[in-house]
Each structure stands twice: as C-alpha cells, then as structure tokens.
Amino acid sequence: MEHFVTTPTRPVLTGSARAVFQRLVEQGPSTRPHIGQSLGLSRPTMSAAIAELEKPGYVEMIGAIRGPLGRSAAEYRVGQGAGYVIAVDAGSTHVRLRVSTLDRRLLTSRQLRFPVSHIAIDADVSQAVAAEVGAVIAESLPEWGPLRVLGIATPTRVVGPEGDTEASRQNVVFCAFTPPKGAAIVLENNVNCAAVAEMHYGAAQGEADFVYVQVGLKIGMGIILGERLIRGRNGAAGEIGHLSFPLAPNTNPLRGEAEHFLGTEAFLARVRADWPPQAGAAPTDTAELLKLAGTGHEKAQRCVARHAADIGAVVASCVSVVDPGLVVLGGGLGASPLLLPGVQETVNRLSYAADIRNTLLGPDATVLGIERLAIEKALLLLIGQSG
C-alpha cells in the first residue's frame, strides 16, 4: 500500500509570531513571560503572537508553571500543526531513522543493520531506506501532524549548495525508493551531517571553526568555518579519500587509495598479515583489536599506534590546508580514545597546532545532524526564514 503525505497551506505570520515559533523550535518549551523577555516583546505582542500560532496548531499550551510570587504562567511548546520530520542515516553498514517534532522530541526510531557492509550506496540500501521510511509512515499517529521534511544522509557526494536540488535527486539512494509526496527532501553527505551535529550538540559546541574527520569503513571530512558548513562548488569539500596517495619514489598516486588504505578492511588485512602466531588468534574486526589493545596486548597496541600515526598524517594535511584549530575524530574506528594520543602527536609534529578531540555523539552523530538540517528546512517552509 502506498502512503501519501499532504501538507497544509502555510499561514502568513507576523514577524513577532515567527520569532516566537523559532524560539520554541530552537530552545524547547517555555512560558510567555520568558519568551517575551528573551525576544524583547511586550505582553500584548506576545499574546497576539501566541494567538496567531495557535490557529494553525503551530504551538500548544502544555501546562502552567508557578512563579516565586505564586503566580502561574502558561507554558507552550511546538504543536501538532507544525508536524514532524524523518531523519535517515543511510550508511554503509546500517540504516538508522529518527522521527521527531521540530523541537526534537523523539516520536520513534528504527535501526536496520546490513549482514554485509556496502562500500557504495546501491539498490539494496535504497530498498532498505524505502522499507524503513514506509514502516514509519504506516505507523504514524494523527497527533504527529503532517510530515514536513524527509532528510537523508548518504556516504556520497551531494550536488547543490542546499543539498536538495534536482541533481541531488539523481542520487542512487532513490533508485529503489520514491519519497512520500507532499514532504520536502533534504539530502546531505553523512560526514557533513556528523559535523553539523558535533557543532550543535557534541564535541565542537561553541566552536566557530573545526573539522570532523570520520574514520571507519571509509574516511571523510566535514568542514565548519565561521559556523557554516562548507560544501564546495561540486559538493566535494572534505572528500579526503581522494587525497593523492601514495607519495613516494617510483610510485603513481591512485584514485581513492588514501580511503582504501585507511579504511578498516585494508587496515585489518595488514594487521592479520603481520600478526605473529605467538600473539594468539588475530582479531576478526576492529572492535576486537581495540579491546585487545585496551587490555594491554602488546601487538594490538603497536597496530593501533601505527594506524593512529597514519590517520594523524592525513589529519595533519587537512590542518595544513584548512587551519581549523580543532579536529573532532569520529566513525567506527576514529571514535576510539586509544587513537587520540597518536593522532595528536603526529599532527603536532607535521603541521600547525590543533586540538584533537573524540566525538561525543558516537554513531548517532550523522542521524542527529541530518535531523538538524531537516528541522531547519521545515522551519524555512513554515515561517519563511531559516533557524
């Protein structure tokens, strides 16, 4: 059965009503006096703004808070009429969904892990996205309101400055998936999404300039400068997997070889090839290798140290070009604190000084980032300005 989504006509709001709604979206439930004070709005203006927003159901009263003098103030939050967004992390190893209101209240979530890793997005990933999104829409409740935006993060280059152009719709993630009608689409690179999430909720909060470097099955970089995500003319900014590599006498750099060399599959192949019999059974995956290193296993520690130095060399190249001052490491392997000292030492030795931190969001960084971008798009659609 095909499920269709209809979006109500957007009402025309005054500037004060738009400001109140944006404040509730960004900061969550609050009382009229607190909102009015933070926005510099008078009581009559606040009353008029709330009345405007209540008509289409953009806000709703959820109770009253008693103040220090015994007076009660009505508390409001984003309402049913504002609708919801679906955020999808279409990754190489999984499809993860987060469904939320515009003020980030979680409505439901889903996760599907693939039996084998997908180096590139293909029809199987597209079919999985279709099934997971379809399941969410089929189970949606009336009190969620209308679906406003579907955001999808993919491990691919995304064409277009806003990540949702017609050219982007040719992305292979749509080859077996037709998006629900009536909802806007936001498509963005997964590492860029993780960078956005770290800026708002994670290790880079309060930082205007930083880069997020993901190291896992593949490698990539998201660049934030002046609190803005840098995409590049072709949507390829941060594609460090295409750095010229290797650079040595009598060799020719190969396309994508940096990503292949630093990716977990090639790394594990090197570990197994160099694993001595007296060290016990070779690890079957990076999680097992990191566990061994964490317990003091000498060979495992040397392998991790060697890889940290290799990652550090690539990060040093990024620091030399961008000079971000801060690098956040994430991804299945990059998130490990065991790599942090080696990466930091190598960057300090080869490039400018930079603060190296591990992600605070772990595997949720990408889905939280695409959720943020989907909410910003929904806010733009509803009130005519971005968050």
Side-chain angles (χ1 to χ4, degrees):
M1 179 179 180
E2 188 174 6
H3 299 271
F4 295 95
V5 178
T6 58
T7 303
T9 303
R10 187 186 80 189
V12 178
L13 300 174
T14 62
S16 56
R18 291 199 301 270
V20 170
F21 182 68
Q22 183 170 333
R23 203 267 189 189
L24 288 171
V25 167
E26 294 178 346
Q27 300 186 30
S30 188
T31 63
R32 279 196 200 186
H34 284 157
I35 299 172
Q37 184 178 23
S38 66
L39 297 176
L41 301 178
S42 66
R43 291 180 63 183
T45 301
M46 270 300 303
S47 296
I50 290 293
E52 269 190 80
L53 294 168
E54 284 182 319
K55 287 181 182 179
Y58 283 8
V59 304
E60 61 186 16
M61 189 176 73
I62 56 175
I65 295 179
R66 187 174 297 277
L69 300 179
R71 297 177 180 175
S72 295
E75 186 177 26
Y76 290 86
R77 73 178 182 188
V78 173
Q80 172 185 332
Y84 68 100
V85 301
I86 299 177
V88 182
D89 172 13
S92 302
T93 60
H94 61 268
V95 172
R96 182 181 286 111
L97 273 75
R98 181 178 167 89
V99 184
S100 61
T101 61
L102 269 60
D103 54 354
R104 301 186 64 236
R105 283 177 282 126
L106 182 65
L107 299 173
T108 189
S109 62
R110 298 176 64 90
Q111 180 170 316
L112 171 69
R113 297 203 68 84
F114 298 129
V116 296
S117 298
H118 296 257
I119 295 295
I121 293 292
D122 56 20
D124 289 341
V125 176
S126 180
Q127 290 169 0
V129 170
E132 294 299 293
V133 172
V136 164
I137 293 175
E139 297 168 4
S140 62
L141 301 175
E143 54 263 35
W144 293 5
L147 171 60
R148 298 293 184 178
V149 178
L150 170 64
I152 305 177
T154 69
T156 56
R157 178 174 65 92
V158 174
V159 179
E162 299 301 326
D164 60 350
T165 63
E166 284 303 316
S168 294
R169 289 173 185 260
Q170 302 305 312
N171 191 293
V172 72
V173 74
F174 296 117
C175 70
F177 170 50
T178 301
K181 295 181 179 179
I185 305 297
V186 173
L187 188 68
E188 187 54 84
N189 173 265
N190 63 334
V191 184
N192 285 348
C193 290
V196 168
E198 293 291 348
M199 176 172 63
H200 289 286
Y201 319 120
Q205 287 186 81
E207 302 286 350
D209 307 300
F210 75 98
V211 297
Y212 174 91
V213 176
Q214 178 171 291
V215 184
L217 186 66
K218 303 167 70 176
I219 66 169
M221 180 173 68
I223 306 170
I224 303 289
L225 296 178
E227 299 184 345
R228 293 180 62 86
L229 176 63
I230 306 301
R231 294 185 173 90
R233 174 176 292 186
N234 300 301
E239 290 289 346
I240 58 176
H242 292 282
L243 286 171
S244 297
F245 184 86
L247 294 176
N250 303 316
T251 63
N252 289 317
L254 301 174
R255 180 183 178 89
E257 184 62 17
E259 181 164 75
H260 171 73
F261 182 81
L262 289 175
T264 54
E265 291 187 351
F267 170 49
L268 276 174
R270 294 193 299 274
V271 169
R272 295 191 192 103
D274 191 44
W275 197 266
Q278 62 269 27
T284 57
D285 55 29
T286 54
E288 187 177 343
L289 174 66
L290 292 170
K291 183 178 180 180
L292 286 171
T295 60
H297 191 287
E298 186 176 346
K299 177 57 180 177
Q301 288 181 331
R302 288 201 302 268
C303 291
V304 171
R306 173 68 260 179
H307 201 55
D310 290 338
I311 294 169
V314 171
V315 171
S317 298
C318 300
V319 170
S320 296
V321 173
V322 181
D323 187 23
L326 168 65
V327 178
V328 178
L329 295 179
L333 187 58
S336 171
L338 295 178
L339 273 70
L340 195 62
V343 174
Q344 181 74 75
E345 187 280 328
T346 304
V347 171
N348 289 348
R349 178 167 49 86
L350 297 179
S351 187
Y352 309 114
D355 182 13
I356 313 295
R357 303 175 190 172
N358 284 121
T359 172
L360 294 182
L361 303 176
D364 292 327
T366 294
V367 75
L368 290 174
I370 190 63
E371 177 194 65
R372 175 81 188 197
L373 296 177
I375 288 172
E376 288 179 358
K377 180 68 173 182
L379 188 59
L380 174 65
L381 293 174
L382 289 180
I383 67 174
Q385 62 187 43
S386 58

